Amino acid sequence: MMKRKILLGAMSMLPLLLAANTPAPEYDIVVRGGRVLDGAGNPWVSADVAVKDGRVVRIGRVAGRGAKEIDAKGRYVSPGFIDMMDQSGRVLVKNGAAENKLLMGVTTVIAGEGGPPAAATEIPAHFKTLEQQGISVNYGTYYSATQARVKVMGDGAGSPTPAQLEAMGREVKIAMENGAFGISSALIYPPSSFQTTSDLVTLAKVAAQCDGFYATHMRDESEGLVQAIEEAIEIGEKGGVKVEIFHLKAAYAPGWGKLMPQAVATINAARARGVDVAADLYPYTAGGTGLEIIAPSWVWADGVEKGIERLRDPKVRERMKKEVAAGSMPGWSNLVHASGGFANVRLANGFSDKYRPYHGKSLAEIGKVLNRDPADVAWDILLEGLPNRSVALYFMMSEQDIETAIKQPWVSIGSDAAASEKAGEMDALGLPHPRAYGTFPRIIAEYVKRRPVLSLEDAVRKMTGWPAQRMGLTDRGLIRDGMRADMVVFDLDKLDDVASWDKPTASPTGIETVIVNGVVTIANGKHTGAKAGAVLRHSCGV
């Protein structure tokens, strides 16, 4: 009996003895045997990738063990994707998980078309909140020139006095010193549309003191596309800043096949003479924005409240209908005209029970059912949905033009979508557009796999190394020794964007693992709950 007890005791000690003799893991993570795409456009190499303390520390044959081992045999390993036009600034404060972004392989988002959800002086507090609560992606933002304008002179039309323009410049300087990447504009929307080229040059000069950007949703993406690009380039040249054109598109059906080649030629000519101008895009033929864009800009010239009052006035509506039918006018892009008519404008979200049955139908169809003019339908839905912003899908672009643009080496990828507060639901903009769930996998699934527009290496470069270089993120965007360990493991054969116009919140397939700052955040296609994302602050250099 005594011998049996001694034997059992010795056996119970065996696991402890073996553990004591097993060397501790040398790395936090080792991704084994994948086809590694470095993000710079080079061909893949077969290698292991070791990660320690949030950084890549070895690429090649890794003999040491990782605390976590990931088998990537037969799959591709790339840097994490960078969303160059994100809309998540506000929702990340509510929920930092950003699950729909991560499931696309996105590890870094650059937000701020409308600026951060904070005044210039409050940007540090905004950043601190995100850091304290935790976010699952890396986040950087622009500061909107419109934020500065509204603070100084309200939301109406009019030219700023020299003193007011100087005050706006002070707001920009504060924002830049607090970590903004530059100034942004959305010149298609009032009150941003009330800003002149000269005003923006003045504010760009302030951003230039911190080597910042002028990032713009241009004044016109339709018939006046080339002129709008020329304006953006002028602001960059005179202001001394880098220019980023948001969601480059030729959103004008009569100009398909003609405007985009002209736009590309204009940008290439500016780059040839030394202007640092580039663009991003999303790979879809429809844009998505509010119904308020169907009202001419003069409606909003005295502010939002007066604009709403005008929309309720039948006599004002008669004038507005004539202008919608006439096409675009100076200071206003008529997206109905650009789409080829109300038949190509589809209600996405009316934010009311009354119009919910009509989601997914065109304004022309809704007008026919209700026996109403489609323009009246648009404005009725807008008013009914207040205080929310009712949104529509505007089918304005052609696949031919998307291909022309996406081939340009200076084009990166931006979703123009927000993180979803709840996974599987609409993004925080309330816009059911497939770009919120499908943009990045679609670049590979559609333009590498389904049609030979891009090589896999170049597609990955457009989503990783190029945008990181563009934004000055010198320690991200590449898989190289010492770089931050933001990585994606995907199965090329299974990779598909899935999200469609009918099912816009469907998650992609084929993306198995996503690592953010050396922490596994998506494992086997599921969010782990990790919040290893970082706030990215642009350095002002002062």
Side-chain angles (χ1 to χ4, degrees):
M1 180 64 72
M2 182 62 70
K3 288 182 178 179
R4 186 166 179 264
K5 287 182 178 180
I6 293 171
L7 181 60
L8 289 171
M11 291 178 65
S12 68
M13 292 292 291
L14 185 59
L16 296 175
L17 293 170
L18 289 173
N21 292 324
T22 302
E26 189 174 345
Y27 306 105
D28 298 327
I29 301 172
V30 177
V31 182
R32 298 279 181 191
R35 298 175 176 180
V36 178
L37 293 156
D38 68 355
N42 294 311
W44 64 265
V45 296
S46 181
D48 306 329
V49 181
V51 174
K52 190 173 180 63
D53 297 330
R55 293 184 181 270
V56 174
V57 293
R58 185 172 178 80
I59 305 166
R61 184 176 179 277
V62 176
R65 189 167 59 90
K68 185 170 188 61
E69 295 270 330
I70 297 172
D71 182 7
K73 187 176 181 181
R75 290 176 287 281
Y76 288 85
V77 183
S78 84
F81 303 150
I82 298 173
D83 191 337
M84 286 287 278
M85 197 200 174
D86 170 76
Q87 301 280 7
S88 299
R90 195 171 300 277
V91 71
L92 290 178
V93 176
K94 299 178 181 178
N95 182 354
E99 190 163 350
N100 59 310
K101 297 282 182 171
L102 287 157
L103 290 174
M104 289 193 286
V106 171
T107 58
T108 297
V109 301
I110 306 299
E113 177 195 18
T121 55
E122 297 302 316
I123 290 174
H126 170 56
F127 288 167
K128 186 176 181 180
T129 296
L130 294 176
E131 289 172 331
Q132 289 177 337
Q133 294 178 180
I135 50 177
S136 296
V137 291
N138 305 307
Y139 164 79
T141 185
Y142 299 106
Y143 174 74
S144 172
T146 309
Q147 286 177 287
R149 177 187 170 93
V150 170
K151 177 170 183 179
V152 173
M153 58 182 295
D155 64 356
S159 299
T161 66
Q164 287 175 323
L165 197 54
E166 186 177 347
M168 292 178 203
R170 287 195 294 270
E171 293 299 310
V172 170
K173 184 64 181 297
I174 291 168
M176 294 300 301
E177 290 175 346
N178 284 335
F181 278 83
I183 58 169
S184 60
S185 69
L187 301 180
I188 196 171
Y189 306 113
S192 186
S193 60
F194 302 139
Q195 293 175 298
T196 66
T197 305
S198 176
D199 293 345
L200 292 167
V201 168
T202 298
L203 298 182
K205 287 179 178 178
V206 179
Q209 296 171 19
C210 295
D211 191 28
F213 282 84
Y214 170 65
T216 180
H217 180 154
M218 296 182 297
R219 206 174 294 276
D220 194 342
E221 299 173 320
S222 302
E223 189 174 7
L225 172 64
V226 174
Q227 292 78 14
I229 291 173
E230 289 171 344
E231 179 189 32
I233 290 168
E234 180 183 351
I235 292 167
E237 281 191 292
K238 292 182 177 178
V241 289
K242 296 166 281 192
V243 178
E244 179 70 13
I245 294 172
F246 285 144
H247 48 50
L248 177 64
K249 61 174 80 75
Y252 185 62
W256 287 352
K258 296 176 286 186
L259 279 174
M260 184 57 78
Q262 293 172 17
V264 167
T266 302
I267 294 171
N268 279 332
R271 289 181 61 83
R273 66 174 185 267
V275 182
D276 192 349
V277 54
D280 53 72
L281 61 73
Y282 54 77
Y284 296 94
T285 55
T289 194
L291 290 174
E292 79 282 350
I293 197 66
I294 296 176
S297 292
W298 61 261
V299 173
W300 311 103
D302 298 306
V304 173
E305 289 187 16
K306 182 64 177 178
I308 296 300
E309 182 183 325
R310 286 173 174 150
L311 284 179
R312 299 186 192 278
D313 187 332
K315 291 184 179 179
V316 174
R317 283 196 180 194
E318 289 308 308
R319 174 186 169 185
M320 292 163 60
K321 288 177 194 174
K322 291 177 182 177
E323 293 180 0
V324 170
S328 295
M329 56 192 293
W332 175 54
S333 290
N334 184 339
L335 297 194
V336 174
H337 178 62
S339 300
F342 282 106
N344 297 318
V345 181
R346 187 185 301 181
L347 178 62
N349 190 353
F351 286 100
S352 73
D353 292 337
K354 182 177 179 179
Y355 291 104
R356 185 168 289 109
Y358 301 104
H359 288 179
K361 296 186 181 299
S362 74
L363 293 179
E365 290 175 297
I366 301 170
K368 187 174 182 180
V369 171
L370 299 179
N371 196 28
R372 296 274 287 163
D373 187 296
D376 281 318
V377 168
W379 301 322
D380 289 347
I381 294 172
L382 184 158
L383 293 171
E384 181 74 21
L386 293 173
N388 294 300
R389 184 190 189 208
S390 295
V391 288
L393 299 173
Y394 300 78
F395 287 83
M396 305 178 288
M397 289 82 79
S398 74
E399 282 290 353
Q400 176 189 354
D401 287 338
I402 292 172
E403 286 191 13
T404 297
I406 206 170
K407 290 177 187 176
Q408 306 309 312
W410 36 261
V411 165
S412 58
I413 308 302
S415 69
D416 193 13
S420 299
E421 189 170 350
K422 294 183 179 180
E425 297 185 2
M426 283 185 290
D427 75 348
L429 301 178
L431 177 63
H433 192 301
R435 65 194 184 194
Y437 282 78
T439 291
F440 289 82
R442 181 173 174 80
I443 295 299
I444 296 175
E446 183 67 27
Y447 298 96
V448 174
K449 291 172 61 176
R450 289 193 278 268
R451 38 182 155 154
V453 177
L454 300 172
S455 68
L456 177 61
E457 293 83 359
D458 194 38
V460 169
R461 182 192 68 86
K462 287 177 173 293
M463 299 187 287
T464 60
W466 166 234
Q469 180 183 346
R470 178 93 180 119
M471 298 306 299
L473 304 177
T474 56
D475 58 352
R476 299 185 191 275
L478 300 172
I479 297 181
R480 289 184 181 162
D481 286 354
M483 302 294 282
R484 299 282 182 182
D486 296 337
M487 294 190 291
V488 180
V489 180
F490 63 90
D491 185 323
L492 183 60
D493 292 335
K494 295 179 180 178
L495 188 69
D496 196 4
D497 47 299
V498 182
S500 65
W501 302 115
D502 295 325
K503 295 181 179 179
T505 60
S507 295
T509 57
I511 293 177
E512 302 172 354
T513 303
V514 180
I515 298 169
V516 181
N517 292 316
V519 178
V520 176
T521 308
I522 297 292
N524 300 315
K526 303 292 183 183
H527 200 300
T528 65
K531 291 185 177 179
V535 171
L536 306 176
R537 295 169 173 83
H538 178 70
S539 175
C540 188
V542 295

